[in-house]
Amino acid sequence: MHRFLNLDAINSRFQPALDQAALRVVHSGRYIGGPEVEAFERELAAATGVDHAVGVSNGLDAIRLIFRAWMDLGRLHPGDEVITSSNNYIAGILAATDCGLRPIFVEPDPATFNLDPTRIEAAITPRTRAIMPVHLYGRVSVLPDSLRERFLIVEDCAQAIGASLGGRRVGSLGHAGAFSFYPSKNIGALGDAGAVTTNDAALAQQIRALRNYGSLQTYVNRTRGLNCRLDPLQAAMLRVKLPFTDRENSLRRANAMAYDRLISNPNVIKPSIPDDPAEHVWHQYVVRIRAGRRDHFRDFLANHDVETAVHYPKPAHLQPCYAADYGHLRLPIAFTLCNQVVSLPIGPDTSETDVAQIAEIINRFSR
Ligand SMILES: *Cc1c(COP(=O)(O)O)cnc(C)c1O
């Protein structure tokens, strides 16, 4: 059986360090904030190459807190527009609308699955204030440098920890980066966890307040905050795994390269490979099957004991919660991709033999 995701197998590789770190927290008596969270924040900031990292409850909250903080700091206002794409996980879009911002959907480039940089200019209006590139499937979403001076750039790094562009890691490319450590991510916690990275001291400070009831000093609530703190137990788990980010990503990259070498079926479109391997950390290896044949392809693989997944079956703007506001939009590229994509097993627990067997089965698929 080729499992799509086996979290137990992935985390067993970090034993006994995870058990020891968990016990360290259990016996510390510090169960909210404290030294584990602070140490993790320092380690993540150093690994990302930024001045500040702020641990938060999850990836959605990381994005939500960035927007909230920019509003508190007067840099964003209700009704401001945020450019992003629709063939994504919905988190960043929920974060934007929760803050009263308006997502503007730009079509993705089918070669990278990311926001198509050539289509951004046409989507800019006098209300455009921010751009939210999602480094989808682990590939850096590359934007023209000039946009950085004109707009707030919030990177959704949930799928791309460790990926870099010209030697700079994601989370340091824009004005703020949002990370998720949901268990299935390249570096996953053993529960919910997230973080914000930035070089902006005022933004970091505001997010530190917002995540903790709007308070930096006990019983002084300077802003109308939330409770979005990072659990020290999860910080301790992440401190075990974070130093292995590059190793974990290389295992995924090797699997991706093997798929690329071994899959040769004209009915299966393979993902393109960036010239610089550092630009992709292969959170997912996503092939495309002609729409209408995808279920057939997935059934064929399932019958040969290969589990697959679809990221994501429906563009965000067509989800029921947005149908009234955005359901009328025509985004044929995002729509088509959502109907074609299939993710293959690629985790660090997937072996070279697994990949060879899966590729061999895929090569026997006929339309
Ligand atoms: C996982 C993910 C998130 C948010 O994750 P949480 O489950 O809230 O931690 C945000 N964006 C993308 C692209 C993701 O894959």
Side-chain angles (χ1 to χ4, degrees):
M1 182 70 181
H2 301 285
R3 300 266 308 270
F4 183 73
L5 180 68
N6 183 349
L7 291 174
D8 183 42
I10 289 174
N11 286 326
S12 299
R13 298 153 54 252
F14 292 93
Q15 292 294 14
L18 289 175
D19 283 357
Q20 285 162 0
L23 281 177
R24 189 172 74 225
V25 176
V26 170
H27 295 297
S28 71
R30 293 296 302 271
Y31 307 131
I32 300 289
E36 293 289 344
V37 172
E38 287 162 19
F40 173 66
E41 290 178 339
R42 280 194 301 277
E43 289 155 11
L44 180 65
T48 308
V50 293
D51 294 339
H52 312 278
V54 184
V56 300
S57 34
N58 56 61
L60 167 57
D61 283 343
I63 309 174
R64 194 160 68 114
L65 291 171
I66 292 167
F67 287 141
R68 268 293 307 272
W70 276 333
M71 293 182 124
D72 286 356
L73 296 169
R75 303 186 64 185
L76 282 179
H77 299 91
D80 284 350
E81 294 177 356
V82 181
I83 290 176
T84 191
S85 46
S86 186
N87 57 314
N88 287 330
Y89 192 54
I90 199 169
I93 296 150
L94 290 172
T97 57
D98 185 63
C99 293
L101 302 168
R102 187 169 176 78
I104 300 296
F105 299 105
V106 166
E107 289 275 46
D109 176 352
T112 63
F113 297 105
N114 283 327
L115 199 52
D116 183 342
T118 68
R119 294 174 184 265
I120 292 176
E121 208 61 45
I124 293 170
T125 78
R127 296 300 314 252
T128 308
R129 289 288 176 280
I131 302 180
M132 179 167 53
V134 180
H135 306 302
L136 197 64
Y137 308 144
R139 182 172 185 153
V140 180
S141 177
V142 183
L143 300 183
D145 280 336
S146 59
L147 294 174
R148 221 182 164 280
E149 275 92 70
R150 297 161 64 199
F151 304 107
L152 294 166
I153 311 283
V154 47
E155 297 173 74
D156 182 340
C157 305
Q159 304 190 355
I161 190 166
S164 62
L165 182 70
R168 291 171 55 209
R169 303 267 187 175
V170 297
S172 74
L173 303 172
H175 299 95
F179 288 84
S180 165
F181 302 103
Y182 184 83
S184 65
K185 307 298 189 194
N186 287 26
I187 296 296
L190 276 63
D192 276 310
V196 173
T197 55
T198 184
N199 284 315
D200 181 340
L203 179 71
Q205 179 84 339
Q206 192 65 20
I207 291 173
R208 285 183 195 285
L210 281 170
R211 73 172 171 184
N212 184 41
Y213 289 88
S215 168
L216 292 169
Q217 194 189 333
T218 314
Y219 306 131
V220 179
N221 301 86
R222 55 187 231 158
T223 184
R224 297 174 191 184
L226 300 158
N227 180 345
C228 298
R229 296 180 294 233
L230 172 62
D231 180 346
L233 196 51
Q234 297 310 332
M237 300 296 96
L238 290 169
R239 291 186 67 204
V240 171
K241 296 177 73 176
L242 187 68
F244 295 98
T245 304
D246 288 341
R247 182 196 73 182
E248 294 295 278
N249 288 342
S250 327
L251 293 168
R252 289 173 179 272
R253 196 174 287 124
N255 284 339
M257 292 309 114
Y259 276 131
D260 186 62
R261 218 169 38 245
L262 298 172
I263 296 175
S264 58
N265 183 331
N267 302 306
V268 178
I269 304 174
K270 293 181 280 187
S272 73
I273 312 272
D275 292 338
D276 178 357
E279 282 179 33
H280 207 324
V281 295
W282 300 98
H283 178 59
Q284 303 297 353
Y285 186 88
V286 176
V287 298
R288 290 160 57 197
I289 309 297
R290 188 162 56 85
R293 302 304 285 161
R294 176 168 66 186
D295 288 349
H296 180 53
F297 177 73
R298 294 190 69 203
D299 288 345
F300 176 81
L301 290 188
N303 291 336
H304 291 83
D305 286 336
V306 180
E307 287 182 352
T308 58
V310 170
H311 301 101
Y312 297 91
K314 200 193 259 282
H317 74 285
L318 295 181
Q319 289 293 344
C321 64
Y322 289 128
D325 286 342
Y326 304 111
H328 64 281
L329 295 177
R330 277 187 34 79
L331 296 163
I333 301 175
F335 185 83
T336 302
L337 289 178
C338 287
N339 283 292
Q340 294 182 332
V341 291
V342 177
S343 306
L344 305 179
I346 192 166
D349 58 317
T350 303
S351 71
E352 229 173 288
T353 322
D354 291 322
V355 172
Q357 287 172 356
I358 295 168
E360 189 268 327
I361 294 162
I362 289 175
N363 290 342
R364 281 193 274 128
F365 169 73
S366 60
R367 26 194 280 116

